[in-house]
Amino acid sequence: MNVALIDSGLGSLPTAAHLRRLRPSLDLHLYLDPDNAPWGPKPTAWTEAHVVETARRAVDGGAEVVVLPCNTASVIALDATRAALGSTPVVGTVPAIKPAALQCDSITVWATAATTASSYQARLIAEFASGRTVSAVACHGLADAIDRGDLASISAAIASAAARTPDDVQGIVLGCTHYPLVADEIMAALPPGVRMFDSAEAVAAQTLRRLDEVSSPREGHGSVSVTLSGRDGSLPDSAVRFAAGRSLAVPATL
């Protein structure tokens, strides 16, 4: 059983870690793109073509399900990737605004500056959080600091975002797939009682559902392999600064 996860940086780690915990026998292949990260500022056509080509290589390499654990990739390239791969399931990512709105009256969405300003996020808020008080906080530099494993910059970015978050907020939506890697530090910066919502576990569960629909899945061995901008590689040193990265860096217990 082989699952490919495609993200420019470390945003695939939370979903990959949930997949390994839920089904240790999965073979996980992480496609990272350090040469071109981040994808957010890239032209839309470039990002779409790049994600589709990476997904095709993943399927050629044996992937039975392709996951885009990246908001940028999902917004720009999910439909094109599904069209290109045909019968191979492709799982996208949506910020957890809907479950947050079902449980909280006041919500703040933490995301990158590009996502915060996007019509995509605005549509999700309008569709799923009507009647709720919703604010948006751009977490400047947080995703980049996570990719570098720069703990001081991570702390500074979180402190800045927390200072711009309303005091009466009930729920925080992590609108970037990198942010769950520092969920504990984010929670420590917020008032007691605030609830956190992210999409990584839901994406992992949907991936397993789609994998189970594959007619003849191959038995996996619990391996983790990494491709870095088209080259065989290994998890970046920065990955093991985070619990999810460390869990992927050791052999699975089958």
Side-chain angles (χ1 to χ4, degrees), residues 59-215:
V59 172
D60 289 343
E64 292 159 295
V65 175
V66 172
V67 185
L68 305 182
C70 169
N71 291 307
T72 297
S74 294
V75 171
I76 293 173
L78 180 58
D79 290 343
T81 304
R82 284 175 170 162
L85 299 190
S87 61
T88 301
V90 181
V91 179
T93 298
V94 176
I97 292 171
K98 182 178 181 179
L102 290 173
Q103 301 177 54
C104 302
D105 292 324
S106 58
I107 303 161
T108 296
V109 184
W110 283 26
T112 64
T115 299
T116 299
S118 69
S119 59
Y120 165 69
Q121 180 167 298
R123 288 196 303 272
L124 290 175
I125 292 171
E127 181 175 359
F128 296 120
S130 177
R132 300 292 188 262
T133 300
V134 183
S135 57
V137 170
C139 302
H140 301 288
L142 180 54
D144 291 341
I146 290 171
D147 275 338
R148 298 193 307 272
D150 183 343
L151 301 184
S153 294
I154 289 168
S155 295
I158 290 173
S160 172
R164 290 177 283 120
T165 298
D167 292 337
D168 61 351
V169 69
Q170 296 176 354
I172 296 290
V173 175
L174 302 185
C176 172
T177 55
H178 285 62
Y179 298 173
L181 294 171
V182 291
D184 289 346
E185 189 163 353
I186 291 172
M187 289 300 291
L190 296 170
V194 174
R195 301 184 64 182
M196 179 177 291
F197 299 85
D198 78 81
S199 57
E201 190 164 10
V203 171
Q206 175 65 3
T207 299
L208 294 179
R209 284 192 289 269
R210 298 308 308 274
L211 186 67
D212 289 340
E213 294 169 0
V214 174
S215 57

Side-chain angles (χ1 to χ4, degrees), residues 1-5 15-30 64-65 67 204-205 207-209 211-212 217-225 248 251-254:
M1 296 178 287
N2 188 308
V3 174
L5 300 99
T15 299
H18 282 302
L19 285 170
R20 169 167 266 200
R21 176 178 58 82
L22 293 169
R23 194 166 298 179
S25 64
L26 285 180
D27 292 324
L28 303 175
H29 195 134
L30 279 58
E64 292 159 295
V65 175
V67 185
T207 299
L208 294 179
R209 284 192 289 269
L211 186 67
D212 289 340
R218 295 183 293 273
E219 186 61 33
H221 304 285
S223 66
V224 176
S225 53
L248 296 167
T253 302
L254 302 181

